[in-house]
Amino acid sequence: MSHSERISAIVRILEANPQGMSEFALLKSLQSENLIYLEPDTFTDSLKLFQTHFLLFHHLYRLRDEWHDEGKGCLSIHTLSIQLRPYVQGDAALAFNDPLRAYYLDLDELAKTEAEDVERLLHSFWRGLGQPAQAGERQKALSILGLEQDASESMIRKAWRQQAMALHPDRGGDAEQFKNLSWAKNYLTKCL
């Protein structure tokens, strides 16, 4: 299937879902219409999943560029929400200075990425979610919550509630600090 045929199929599916859709839902839609072939282990094999993701995002970024050039619309690209939106003049400048765009449009990145690279990326991703891999995680979690070594489960939950009220993003708090706070509570309560 050519790039233009893939793009037409993606546009048709996204237009049928104006609220947007996840990357997974888009892949499944393309697969159900026999527009792409996904091997049975695509979603369990890290390298195959990465390659599938990369190729889809390559086509999405190309579509976004084409739509900007033609003034047709804007394409919001995120793994959790891929959405066609109306064209807004000026959005193109922001879109073209996007480092992810440069990455996904460079097919050499796909060619040079091996299974070990994908595993390193995944490990880095999980560490970035506030799940550090170093020894001393308990001490770090206690420190985040401002607790001592002998903290009980009720003390952990109380400290979390007090800080969560101030740090929750919906209340104007810091999302990163809230994420770390939640990690600390979850880590400590699982260890009890």
Side-chain angles (χ1 to χ4, degrees):
M1 177 181 284
S2 71
H3 169 72
S4 61
E5 291 171 321
R6 282 187 184 95
I7 291 296
S8 295
I10 290 170
V11 168
R12 182 178 42 73
I13 292 168
L14 291 175
E15 286 177 337
N17 294 278
Q19 75 286 357
M21 59 194 315
S22 70
E23 174 183 10
F24 179 77
L26 179 55
L27 286 170
K28 287 304 218 174
S29 293
L30 291 166
Q31 181 184 33
S32 71
E33 296 184 25
N34 294 318
L35 299 169
I36 60 170
Y37 172 75
L38 299 176
E39 294 182 29
D41 64 344
T42 296
F43 294 105
T44 57
D45 181 294
S46 297
L47 182 59
K48 288 179 185 176
L49 181 58
F50 171 79
Q51 292 167 337
T52 302
H53 161 81
F54 190 101
L55 288 171
L56 176 63
F57 272 48
H58 174 80
H59 289 291
L60 289 172
Y61 277 99
R62 286 183 64 183
L63 170 61
R64 186 171 85 170
D65 288 357
E66 290 170 17
W67 274 45
H68 275 295
D69 291 346
E70 297 169 13
K72 286 185 176 179
C74 178
L75 181 60
S76 174
I77 304 171
H78 189 277
T79 55
L80 299 177
S81 180
I82 301 165
Q83 183 180 26
L84 290 175
R85 297 182 315 200
Y87 177 77
V88 176
Q89 192 170 357
D91 276 355
L94 297 173
F96 291 111
N97 291 323
D98 181 355
L100 285 176
R101 172 188 173 271
Y103 175 76
Y104 286 112
L105 289 178
D106 184 356
L107 289 175
D108 288 338
E109 293 290 346
L110 175 62
K112 70 182 182 184
T113 303
E114 297 177 357
E116 298 81 30
D117 301 318
V118 174
E119 291 304 320
R120 273 193 301 276
L121 285 170
L122 289 171
H123 180 71
S124 173
F125 170 78
W126 288 116
R127 285 189 63 206
L129 286 179
Q131 300 174 0
Q134 311 95 343
E137 290 177 328
R138 178 173 170 71
Q139 186 55 47
K140 180 177 179 178
L142 288 167
S143 175
I144 289 170
L145 289 168
L147 296 170
E148 299 296 323
Q149 286 290 342
D150 61 347
S152 67
E153 184 173 358
S154 64
M155 292 168 71
I156 293 167
R157 293 186 187 284
K158 182 179 178 183
W160 179 81
R161 274 193 303 276
Q162 288 173 341
Q163 292 183 47
M165 295 297 285
L167 294 175
H168 197 284
D170 291 345
R171 295 176 173 247
D174 182 273
E176 188 65 28
Q177 287 180 333
F178 182 77
K179 181 175 68 173
N180 289 335
L181 184 71
S182 295
W183 168 82
K185 181 197 69 123
N186 292 335
Y187 178 84
L188 291 171
T189 55
K190 286 179 186 175
C191 292
L192 293 173

